[in-house]
Amino acid sequence: MNLLCTSGLAKHPYVIPSLNLRIYSGEELSYFIYHNLTLIEENFLNEDLIHFVANELKLPASADRLRRFAGNGDQPSQLMAILREFGYYPEDVLHTFQKQAEQLQKRPAYLRHVDRGDAFLYQGRYRSALRVYQDLLEVEQAIGKTPHAVAQIYSHMALANCGMGYYDTALDCMQQSYRTEPNLDTVKLGWQIAQLGGRTTEEAGIQASGEDVA
């Protein structure tokens, strides 16, 4: 990330496995948290991270303070503790971040995972997005798993497959989206994908009814 560092650089980075991202300083850690809120997993503040702060960044007192927040189930307070520990952002900026983190925490867990998949999608991490979406589809029941949410997941799976050039698979996802919740937006996107894949709109298998258009 090449940030200006005041906490020192680690010889061995902290690796965020789901992103294959290497963190070398407290400033880089703060930057990642601030700009990737929806990608942060629930157990982010764990013993591995605390060990990194204590031993690689050589900040044992900071590690001890962070350990008090680990396992309390309150992710906003955990993230705020990390950000305040390194002081990379001013307090007014952190106040805004805290509100965003608290709002995200209030969303049903199922929808938070949808947000995570969407964040991967918008960053062009298509395979990671698809893994999240597939896991969500396999959940039998959950607060927030509505036909609309499932239809949106299929539509976003279509976009991820388009990003990788898998237009036939993308069309299959659009058909699933349309069967779950028929609407004109799905039809339009299906037509666009069909054109990208060199198929006719009839071959796309998604047709708008008068009710959809209305």
Side-chain angles (χ1 to χ4, degrees):
M1 293 181 182
N2 297 320
L3 298 178
L4 177 63
C5 300
T6 60
S7 66
L9 289 173
K11 291 183 179 180
H12 304 96
Y14 179 73
V15 180
I16 300 175
S18 61
L19 302 173
N20 195 27
L21 180 67
R22 289 168 170 76
I23 300 290
Y24 285 89
S25 72
E27 288 73 19
E28 288 183 350
L29 179 62
S30 299
Y31 185 90
F32 167 76
I33 292 172
Y34 184 81
H35 289 280
N36 296 277
L37 180 57
T38 57
L39 291 180
I40 297 174
E41 297 179 339
E42 294 178 2
N43 62 342
F44 184 75
L45 181 56
N46 54 33
E47 277 302 318
D48 289 338
L49 181 57
I50 292 171
H51 180 273
F52 169 77
V53 173
N55 296 279
E56 291 296 335
L57 298 185
K58 303 189 184 309
L59 297 171
S62 294
D64 287 341
R65 285 190 290 269
L66 292 178
R67 185 173 284 108
R68 299 171 191 167
F69 292 88
N72 68 359
D74 184 358
Q75 189 178 69
S77 71
Q78 295 174 2
L79 299 181
M80 288 296 293
I82 297 171
L83 291 172
R84 284 184 170 131
E85 196 62 47
F86 294 105
Y88 187 69
Y89 293 99
E91 192 61 32
D92 59 332
V93 172
L94 294 184
H95 183 68
T96 300
F97 175 86
Q98 184 174 15
K99 287 184 177 180
Q100 295 172 345
E102 290 172 349
Q103 290 174 355
L104 182 63
Q105 184 81 355
K106 292 177 182 178
R107 283 171 63 75
Y110 189 86
L111 296 182
R112 292 202 301 272
H113 285 291
V114 173
D115 293 339
R116 178 178 173 81
D118 291 348
F120 279 130
L121 175 65
Y122 298 144
Q123 291 185 6
R125 298 173 180 266
Y126 301 125
R127 295 187 186 280
S128 296
L130 287 171
R131 283 195 290 269
V132 173
Y133 293 145
Q134 190 58 53
D135 288 343
L136 289 168
L137 291 177
E138 293 174 2
V139 174
E140 292 186 5
Q141 291 183 337
I143 297 174
K145 186 177 182 180
T146 63
H148 177 73
V150 172
Q152 287 295 309
I153 289 172
Y154 277 122
S155 292
H156 290 177
M157 290 177 73
L159 293 175
N161 278 288
C162 277
M164 296 187 293
Y166 301 145
Y167 299 113
D168 287 346
T169 303
L171 276 176
D172 290 340
C173 292
M174 289 310 303
Q175 290 164 2
Q176 289 280 9
S177 178
Y178 185 78
R179 283 194 286 268
T180 303
E181 186 182 59
N183 63 74
L184 185 57
D185 288 338
T186 304
V187 174
K188 290 178 179 178
L189 184 55
W191 288 346
Q192 292 171 351
I193 294 173
Q195 292 176 341
L196 288 171
R199 297 173 65 178
T200 66
T201 55
E202 290 76 14
E203 290 173 327
I206 302 175
Q207 300 296 327
S209 68
E211 185 175 309
D212 294 334
V213 176

